[in-house]
Amino acid sequence: MAESPALPSVNREWHLLSRPVGWPKEEDFTLAETDLPALGDGQVLVRNEFLSVDPYMRGRMSAAKSYVAPYELNQPMQGGAVGEVVASNAEDIAVGDRVLHWFGWREYAAVDAKNAVKVDPDVAPLSTYLGVLGMPGLTAYAGLLRTASFKEGDAVFVSGAAGAVGGLVGQIAKLKGASRVIGSAGSAEKVKLLTEEYGFDAAFNYKDGDVSKQLRAAAPDGVDVYFDNVGGDHLEAAIGSLNRNGRIAVCGMISVYNNTEPAPGPKNLARLIQTRGRIEGFLVGDHYDLQPKFVEEVGPWVREGKLKYRETFVEGIENNLEAFLGVLRGDNTGKMIVKL
């Protein structure tokens, strides 16, 4: 086994102690100290450098049946991570390589080499493999182009538009020839980011008033595509502004993730009959066949500065939970990342 010198004997990792009811509380979690994981055949030991926190993780804290298994109690949680290989029992991955994997929420991880993807820090900063060039980027690409069947000339509305996925959706739409791109966000600063840096044609702060009225003012001719990250009043507003044959791609509904009672559905679903509209949910895991095309097309946009992105960094494994709660609050601009 090849390994780097001076490995610690203790590993710190976040465990879920109890399943949150409503808003997650600190006492639902603990930062545990465990032994450094031992390596089996075909595994690598990774010193994590960047950890991802994402809205979908709230769903995994529940025991409810879903598209992915819930986190186990008293066990380390999982999430995207990028780090340096510090020991290797695998033929194709060497000490010093950087890899992307799914054993985040901890300092060190033992990973099957078949589940680790090599990434090159000389091509792009390591953190981008958790954001614009990673799962959020592919989510934006697949949701807009495949699920929502975007076509040139469409008017596009994106909720949560200053987040890791939403900001990319709007920019990809512009690069692909959208007639108009509108975004919603939760602060004046984020609205300014959307219009002045990301190139959105219009944006509004959903906290400033009725979302339906603000959307109609921003998109007087209606919208052809709505990319939903929020749900609730945003979904209802989009249905109200949907043009004939409009499409809605449901990526997330962060507004209801901490609800203890079922949220009421949109009151205007009957309008889909008039507009021949379509609502379709999607998961990025169903679209990994698009990964090569995504990298081929989006990679140059990032390198050439045509596709802008933001990252919000929180330092230290001890602040991993606070970073996650910050995502639920909307504290982040762009991708929220924990730097170890």
Side-chain angles (χ1 to χ4, degrees):
M1 178 177 69
E3 66 178 55
S4 61
L7 295 178
S9 59
V10 174
N11 188 30
R12 290 187 294 172
E13 53 190 30
W14 281 93
H15 291 195
L16 183 66
L17 297 180
S18 57
R19 303 204 180 278
V21 177
W23 194 267
K25 302 179 294 295
E26 288 187 16
E27 52 263 38
D28 294 324
F29 309 84
T30 188
L31 181 58
E33 289 191 354
T34 62
D35 294 333
L36 203 68
L39 285 191
D41 290 339
Q43 289 191 319
V44 295
L45 181 65
V46 182
R47 178 180 62 82
N48 286 330
E49 297 174 83
F50 297 97
L51 307 176
S52 179
V53 285
D54 303 280
Y56 80 86
M57 293 173 173
R58 178 61 183 87
R60 296 197 66 183
M61 294 171 187
S62 167
K65 186 176 181 181
S66 185
Y67 60 88
V68 65
Y71 290 135
E72 295 183 31
L73 296 180
N74 301 301
Q75 294 294 324
M77 294 186 291
Q78 300 170 355
V82 175
E84 179 184 6
V85 174
V86 294
S88 177
N89 274 343
E91 292 183 0
D92 298 329
I93 300 179
V95 170
D97 285 344
R98 291 329 207 279
V99 295
L100 169 68
H101 62 91
W102 289 97
F103 292 91
W105 288 85
R106 67 199 81 181
E107 292 177 309
Y108 287 83
V111 182
D112 290 341
K114 64 182 179 181
N115 296 327
V117 178
K118 287 186 185 181
V119 294
D120 190 344
D122 293 329
V123 171
L126 289 174
S127 58
T128 63
Y129 293 102
L130 297 175
V132 61
L133 294 179
M135 183 266 288
L138 181 59
T139 300
Y141 188 86
L144 177 69
L145 301 182
R146 177 176 281 174
T147 305
S149 304
F150 171 86
K151 61 183 184 298
E152 185 176 356
D154 280 343
V156 178
F157 171 44
V158 187
S159 58
V165 173
L168 301 178
V169 172
Q171 292 182 80
I172 292 171
K174 290 293 288 185
L175 288 163
K176 288 282 191 177
S179 60
R180 188 167 179 81
V181 173
I182 305 99
S184 72
S187 72
E189 293 78 15
K190 291 180 179 180
V191 168
K192 185 177 179 180
L193 169 72
L194 295 177
T195 56
E196 295 188 4
E197 185 171 332
Y198 287 179
F200 282 55
D201 297 288
F204 61 86
N205 182 350
Y206 65 85
K207 298 176 183 177
D208 284 347
D210 183 81
V211 173
S212 292
K213 291 180 180 178
Q214 293 196 78
L215 178 57
R216 284 195 296 271
D221 296 323
V223 297
D224 303 295
V225 168
Y226 170 49
F227 193 103
D228 190 15
N229 291 305
V230 173
D233 56 355
H234 282 72
L235 178 56
E236 187 167 298
I239 293 172
S241 286
L242 202 64
N243 290 331
R244 182 167 175 168
N245 297 317
R247 289 87 66 203
I248 296 174
V250 181
C251 176
M253 291 192 173
I254 198 170
S255 69
V256 303
Y257 286 169
N258 293 309
N259 287 3
T260 56
E261 297 293 335
K267 298 188 293 289
N268 57 349
L269 281 174
R271 193 169 186 279
L272 295 175
I273 303 169
Q274 305 162 22
T275 62
R276 291 74 157 176
R278 169 169 63 87
I279 300 178
E280 182 177 346
F282 76 99
L283 297 173
V284 66
D286 296 332
H287 301 282
Y288 278 116
D289 62 296
L290 288 177
Q291 180 78 22
K293 186 176 181 181
F294 160 70
V295 173
E296 178 184 353
E297 189 164 21
V298 173
W301 288 342
V302 174
R303 287 194 297 272
E304 295 164 14
K306 293 180 179 178
L307 190 65
K308 313 288 186 182
Y309 66 93
R310 288 285 191 95
E311 297 169 315
T312 299
F313 289 98
V314 171
E315 298 271 350
I317 186 71
E318 63 277 6
N319 293 314
N320 210 129
L321 176 60
E322 180 57 27
F324 167 70
L325 296 176
V327 170
L328 298 183
R329 291 190 299 261
D331 293 350
N332 56 302
T333 299
K335 184 74 184 77
M336 180 74 91
I337 296 170
V338 179
K339 181 179 180 182
L340 303 189

